[in-house]
Amino acid sequence: MVNQYMLALGQTRSCIRELFEYGIRQKAAGETVYDFSIGNPSIPAPPEVNESFVSILQNTDSLSVHGYTQAPGAMDARQAVAEELNSRYGSNLRWESIFFTCGAAPALTSVVRALAVEGAEVLAIAPYFAEYRPFVEGNGAAFVPVPADREKFQIDCAALEERVTAHTQAVIVNSPNNPSGVVYTRPTLEKLAEVLTRKSREFGHPIYIISDEPYRELVYDGAEVPFLPDLYPNTVICYSYSKSLSMPGERIGYVCVPDRAADSKLLFAAAAGAARSLGHVCAPSLQQRVVAACAASRPDLEAYDRNRVALYDALTSYGYQCVRPNGAFYLFVKAPGGDAQAFSNRAKERNLLVVPGGDFGCPDYFRASTCVSHEMLLRSLPVFKELIKEYQ
Ligand code: PLP
């Protein structure tokens, strides 16, 4: 007998992976493929990242560089991350508030698991990163989607308030957002903070924001990404260097539980305990050192920005409806005909791979990743144009 929930999870592949792997097979068969399926960074890591890897390997003794660190990470690396955040946001974070994880995914599962008391509910704003559902349901809490406002894909705080109950433990906030590319504005987040403060008081326990921030540095047109702990003290940060430093395969990120959060020490310890229960030992020690050396490095966003503008301008000129994204590297587009699965299937027949939004909580939208080659993007435009004509 095996766990039926885990079996079902293991036997279904994410729709993104399925399309991505289909694309690989088609390319191997010599087909021309326009692949907008996966969010794999398409700009190289900043040069200092690779230089750090090399220099650390050359200049540190082998036993220490390949050895275990303390379970939450090496003190100096945690210190480097805390200092970088403090210098950027004027915060007062201590290194003890940070523990390294193998990317944002285990950061999120650890925090959710830490909050999964009996009957716990965790809210997420749709559209949401598709893996939130298994992250929440697989770690002992109920997953509660909240529709965003459909005009701008900002948080609909009234809809959110209706779904907060005495069992609500946390709301996952992801800005810049995957899949919409939208950055939540300061007024939106202030309103969210007001609702959660009121509801926490009403129900007599803190409702945390779990701020999932892998795209924090990927913003355009001067968009502001407010530092959520400043607006709402009961915020826990889950961060990843996967996108900002273009190293998703290196698996490095962190959880940060600021001192100002209610029961911060208990929450930190429970998240560390949750990570332990999931078999997390310590994040890769080489990557911790690289992050310590490159905490202030930033990606060169020019290529993402060029793709964002080119695809948005082209698709909207053909008649597609889409909120102009100002963050991350995705476009979330209303599916002509209203059924994104059907649209995606039709696109796939032309080797154009876009992800239907059902798993993101919006089955009438599709996602196109703009972390692709610009040349491929330009070649795909006539296909997008022909497709929408079939619906007009
Ligand atoms: N959260 C969001 C919104 C993401 O888009 C991703 C990855 O695409 C993750 C979390 C997981 O990131 P990581 O690769 O660091 O585990």
Side-chain angles (χ1 to χ4, degrees), residues 39 102-106 108 129 132 135 174 176-178 212 214-215 239-243 248 251-253 330 367:
C102 297
L108 289 160
F129 177 49
Y132 288 164
F135 288 175
N174 169 223
N177 183 265
N178 174 10
D212 179 26
Y215 301 96
Y239 185 77
S240 167
Y241 295 91
S242 294
K243 318 289 174 169
R251 313 306 304 139
I252 188 80
Y330 306 103
R367 187 189 81 173

Side-chain angles (χ1 to χ4, degrees), residues 22-34 351 379:
Y22 173 83
I24 292 174
R25 285 198 303 276
Q26 290 294 91
K27 279 179 220 162
E31 295 273 334
T32 301
V33 180
Y34 312 104
N351 277 339
R379 279 191 293 108

